[in-house]
Amino acid sequence: MAFSVTGIEGVPLIRAGDDLCDILLGVIYTRTSLRDGDVLVVAQKIVSKAEGRLVRLHDVDPSAEAVELATETEKDPRLVQLILDESVAVVRKKPGVLIVRHRLGFVSANAGIDQSNVDHAGGEAALLLPLDPDGSASALHAGIFEETGKRVGVVISDSANRPWRLGTTAIAIGAAGIQVFDDRRGGSDLFGRELKITLVNRADSIATAAVLVMGETAERIPAALVRGFPPGSPEGNAAAINRPLTEDLFQ
């Protein structure tokens, strides 16, 4: 099997209310075309911008809890308030570090809130994750089919750090039209030994492959087209990737 990853260059700066599906298709079709089975990986940042998830910090009134936590972590109390609003629990904290369990279920630093590559001209700002990344992916998936007649999978990716590993990679926080997992449990390895825990995370793997082309900083390639990777059964979503709390040995 061989597959390719092509960065979608030329996407304009996205603003609140933009039709992301229309914009991405317009850029894609100036360079290539779509095929059934392609997977479009879209950076969370442009999804959040289109959905109006940019918050000006001067509009945030930090609570006493946020002020106290900001002192402990040496962070802006207004930013800490946004983190608390987006989270259900504080997992770890120390000066310079605030790790929380996001309302979407995953554990991340600063609730995935980012201040890079956003416009601060109107005052210091922060960009929150989409309210419903799986819903955003589903809307893009449906919009692409309506406009092109092509069944294209969609992955919304975000940068993430992993416990016990240095460096940033990408994960899928939203998915539609792809097989999220390849469940090999019950099968056999090369020597006939039964596989008991092998659950391949296809969505995160696609996101990671795409970020090698999209980049993590100022590349201005907020989307990539993955071609040749078998989409599998288009069922499941990224929310299913989060490990259940009952299986979390480190909480």
Side-chain angles (χ1 to χ4, degrees):
M1 180 186 73
F3 72 96
S4 64
V5 182
T6 304
I8 307 302
E9 300 183 74
V11 177
L13 293 177
I14 301 299
R15 304 183 186 281
D18 282 349
D19 187 331
L20 197 55
C21 181
D22 186 61
I23 291 172
L24 289 173
L25 286 177
V27 176
I28 290 170
Y29 273 91
T30 62
R31 292 160 171 77
T32 183
S33 59
L34 293 174
R35 302 175 186 170
D36 287 331
D38 286 349
V39 179
L40 180 64
V41 180
V42 183
Q44 160 271 319
K45 189 157 290 183
I46 65 170
V47 177
S48 290
K49 287 180 179 180
E51 295 180 357
R53 297 289 284 160
L54 187 71
V55 178
R56 299 292 173 187
L57 293 190
H58 59 58
D59 293 328
V60 179
D61 184 18
S63 63
E65 179 187 8
V67 171
E68 181 180 353
L69 189 54
T71 300
E72 292 183 65
T73 57
E74 300 176 353
K75 293 181 178 292
D76 187 320
R78 301 169 299 175
L79 181 61
V80 171
Q81 183 62 59
L82 292 176
I83 295 170
L84 290 175
D85 290 344
E86 288 289 287
S87 307
V88 296
V90 174
V91 178
R92 292 289 186 273
K93 57 183 177 179
K94 72 173 188 177
V97 177
L98 181 53
I99 300 174
V100 297
R101 187 175 301 278
H102 194 275
R103 58 178 175 77
L104 294 170
F106 49 79
V107 175
S108 67
N110 301 327
I113 296 173
D114 199 355
Q115 292 187 280
S116 64
N117 290 329
V118 297
D119 184 7
H120 297 278
E124 193 173 1
L127 191 66
L128 314 185
L129 297 185
L131 284 172
D132 178 11
D134 280 322
S136 303
S138 293
L140 278 172
H141 174 64
I144 292 170
F145 181 73
E146 182 178 348
E147 291 295 324
T148 69
K150 303 298 181 183
R151 299 189 182 278
V152 175
V154 175
V155 169
I156 296 176
S157 69
D158 192 18
S159 300
N161 290 294
R162 301 151 300 162
W164 309 291
R165 305 284 288 183
L166 293 175
T168 301
T169 184
I171 60 172
I173 65 168
I178 68 165
Q179 182 178 342
V180 172
F181 290 118
D182 183 5
D183 192 348
R184 299 297 183 90
R185 293 172 296 186
S188 302
D189 68 9
L190 290 174
F191 298 96
R193 184 180 178 86
E194 182 182 355
L195 301 174
K196 297 182 178 181
I197 61 173
T198 304
L199 186 64
V200 180
N201 187 327
R202 293 162 53 94
D204 278 356
S205 297
I206 292 171
T208 300
V211 80
L212 295 174
V213 172
M214 295 162 62
E216 294 275 9
T217 54
E219 291 83 358
R220 292 194 65 173
I221 306 176
L225 192 63
V226 178
R227 175 164 292 165
F229 189 89
S233 175
E235 299 176 355
N237 53 40
I241 297 172
N242 297 319
R243 187 179 296 278
L245 283 174
T246 54
E247 299 179 11
D248 187 348
L249 301 180
F250 301 95
Q251 63 175 315

